[in-house]
């Protein structure tokens, strides 16, 4: 069985968020199961300088609208191939700047989706399953069922939704770029309120749809979480399943992490206190003993920054220190900068993407605040737990599947959860956590509970492989 996973980012090559972690780790885990899985990615700026890529010598021609683009195919260790087209991918960022998306994103990812299929032909690699991820690859299942039907008649397609909040919606005129028959511009396929919607195309035409947690697989069928596609998803409800992400336990390991000032493990957590002292000094907090609340993530409306900012004064009235590490929308940066000026002694604002610092925040914080409006899976709560940092989070999507709310009577639990999306619910929850924090014995028990959790990839990778096998049987009849 040959599998091709297609995505717009993957570690160790390029990353803006959890999608990259998941793609990079999933491919490795599936290959560990002795399945021939490969990964296709765009060749972004800088990858060639950092990795020893092999020029396959293959060149492909990819029509987009009325223009033909030439692309080169590079490979890395025979398991990853890259599509090079500098006009589209030799840029500072992946999808856009903090001011907004690149205006030619339709062009870029229509090109990429089609290029992947052309590259399969050129390389003579005919996958049994094409596993597509998020809107950037949503056109592939539709291409496989239309323009590329003949050459991929025995290929099954899987569409994985990592985030329904991003769908790749473009003006109807972008239909001309796809080269698809205008007859396909219907609500049943790609049309979405008069525009085209690339993720919708994937959802309506893939042989199977998955998402990244069991709870999110249910949530997206509702109007509240469906982002306008809940009807389409309900229609396909029998072909949708949730497979929870894992984290890479080698990369995230406090016992062997060279990026943190002191190592520790579940048998001896004294190193964690050292990590905290170091971090508190690094951030110049005045009160060095206060509970330390970390936040790591993309600064987008998804992450619930608004309900956090809505209650900021009250949060600081409880005497906590807060570290924020994130990058995203300019409007959020601006507002946070204003708040940081007001609280120089207890708020450390770090706008930017910094992997090393992220390790230190996970290791040194007491709690990780994740007030997400929605969270398909979420990796930060799992990483935090691995480092004995207790999640204080909204019980949505994968967070509800992976964090158990602390039970005061039984002492069971791995975090503090709230349900209502509001500043007051967040405040109550954080207050509850801070109260328990003052009881050292109880808190230590939660920390240990967290560190004992295992969200490893092994089980989930096996679920993907079982799904691939099922689909291959179906397609080959
Ligand atoms: P999402 O995919 O929605 O961004 P996840 O929780 O699934 O959220 O994954 C986020 C990943 O990106 C985690 O590995 C987290 O550590 C990392 N990350 C997010 N923002 C930053 C940042 N500013 N610096 C370093 N790492 C970050
Ligand atoms: C998305 C989601 C996040 C998920 C990640 C990887 O970007 O926002 O919840 O963990 O994809 O699947």
């Amino acid at each position: 069985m040959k599998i091709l996973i297609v995505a717009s980012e993957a570690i160790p090559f390029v990353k803006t968020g959890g999608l990259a972690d998941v793609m990079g780790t999933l491919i490795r885990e599936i290959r560990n199961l002795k399945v021939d899985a490969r990964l296709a990615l765009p060749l972004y700026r800088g990858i060639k300088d950092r990795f020893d890529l092999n020029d396959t010598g293959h060149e492909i021609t990819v029509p987009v609208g009325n223009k033909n683009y030439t692309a080169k195919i590079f490979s890395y260790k025979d398991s990853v191939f890259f599509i090079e087209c500098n006009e589209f991918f030799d840029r500072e960022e992946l999808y856009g700047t903090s001011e907004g998306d690149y205006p030619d994103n339709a062009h870029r990812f229509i090109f990429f989706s089609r290029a992947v299929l052309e590259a399969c032909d050129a390389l003579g690699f005919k996958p049994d399953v094409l596993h597509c991820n998020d809107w950037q690859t949503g056109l592939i299942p539709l291409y496989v069922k239309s323009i590329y039907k003949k050459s991929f008649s025995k290929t099954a397609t899987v569409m994985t939704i990592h985030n329904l909040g991003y769908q790749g919606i473009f003006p109807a005129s972008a239909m001309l770029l796809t080269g698809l028959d205008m007859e396909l511009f219907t609500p049943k396929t790609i049309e979405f309120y008069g525009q085209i919607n690339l993720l919708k195309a994937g959802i309506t035409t893939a042989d199977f749809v998955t998402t990244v947690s069991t709870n999110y697989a249910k949530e997206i069928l509702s109007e509240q979480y469906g982002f306008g596609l809940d009807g389409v998803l309900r229609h396909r409800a029998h072909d949708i399943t949730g497979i929870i992400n894992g984290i890479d336990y080698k990369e995230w390991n406090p016992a062997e992490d060279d990026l943190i000032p002191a190592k520790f493990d579940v048998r001896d957590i004294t190193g964690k206190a050292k990590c905290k002292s170091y971090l508190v000094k690094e951030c110049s907090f005045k009160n060095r003993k206060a509970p330390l609340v970390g936040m790591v993530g993309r600064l987008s409306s998804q992450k619930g920054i608004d309900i956090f900012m809505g209650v900021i004064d009250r949060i600081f009235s409880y005497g906590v220190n807060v570290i924020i590490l994130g990058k995203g929308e300019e409007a959020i940066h601006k507002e946070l900068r204003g708040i940081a000026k007001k609280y120089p002694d207890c708020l450390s604002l770090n706008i930017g993407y910094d992997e090393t610092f992220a390790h230190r925040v996970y290791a040194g914080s007491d709690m990780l605040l994740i007030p997400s409006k929605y969270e398909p899976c979420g990796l930060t709560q799992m990483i935090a737990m691995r480092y004995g940092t207790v999640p204080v989070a909204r019980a949505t999507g994968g967070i509800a599947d992976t964090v158990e709310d602390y039970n005061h009577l039984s002492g069971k639990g791995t975090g503090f959860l709230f349900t209502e999306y509001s500043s007051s619910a967040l405040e109550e929850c954080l207050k509850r956590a801070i109260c328990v924090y003052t009881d050292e014995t109880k808190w230590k028990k939660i920390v240990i509970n967290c560190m004992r959790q295992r969200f490893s990839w092994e089980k989930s990778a096996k679920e993907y492989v079982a799904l691939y096998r099922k689909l291959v049987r179906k397609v080959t009849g």
Side-chain angles (χ1 to χ4, degrees), residues 17-20 22 134 160-163 166 212 245 298 302-303 374-380 382:
L19 174 67
V22 170
D134 276 352
T160 295
I161 303 166
H162 295 262
N163 197 327
Y166 302 84
V212 287
N245 292 331
R298 287 182 297 111
Q302 173 193 345
K303 302 293 176 181
Y374 71 96
E375 197 61 77
C377 177
L379 304 177
T380 63
M382 300 194 236

Side-chain angles (χ1 to χ4, degrees), residues 89-107:
F89 301 120
D90 183 17
R91 300 193 185 175
E92 200 65 43
E93 303 284 342
L94 268 56
Y95 314 120
T97 64
S98 53
E99 257 92 74
D101 292 344
Y102 288 132
D104 60 347
N105 273 349
H107 245 96

Side-chain angles (χ1 to χ4, degrees), residues 64 106-114 139 143 174 177-178 198:
V64 181
H107 245 96
R108 299 171 76 220
F109 291 101
I110 289 169
F111 161 83
F112 176 61
S113 298
R114 205 159 171 178
L139 260 191
Y143 275 144
L177 300 176
T178 65
L198 301 186

Side-chain angles (χ1 to χ4, degrees), residues 154-165:
K154 296 238 156 24
T155 299
T157 49
V158 177
M159 183 76 232
T160 295
I161 303 166
H162 295 262
N163 197 327
L164 202 55

Side-chain angles (χ1 to χ4, degrees), residues 47-80:
I47 297 180
K48 253 189 192 166
D49 306 333
R50 289 181 290 118
F51 295 88
D52 191 15
L53 304 189
N54 167 45
D55 184 346
T56 66
H58 289 284
E59 242 181 43
I60 49 174
T61 304
V62 185
V64 181
N66 50 18
K67 209 172 149 190
N68 282 333
Y69 293 85
T70 308
K72 282 174 110 182
I73 309 169
F74 287 82
S75 68
Y76 181 73
K77 291 187 175 167
D78 293 332
S79 60
V80 186

Side-chain angles (χ1 to χ4, degrees), residues 15-22 162-163 166 245 251-252 296-300 302-303 325-327 350-359 362 370 374-381 383:
K15 165 171 165 180
T16 66
L19 174 67
D21 294 286
V22 170
H162 295 262
N163 197 327
Y166 302 84
N245 292 331
E251 189 200 345
W252 303 108
V296 179
R298 287 182 297 111
L299 296 175
S300 84
Q302 173 193 345
K303 302 293 176 181
L325 169 62
K327 185 179 159 188
N350 306 273
I351 291 180
Y353 184 87
D354 185 341
E355 244 158 65
T356 308
F357 190 52
H359 280 250
Y362 287 124
I370 319 167
Y374 71 96
E375 197 61 77
C377 177
L379 304 177
T380 63
Q381 78 277 15
I383 302 169

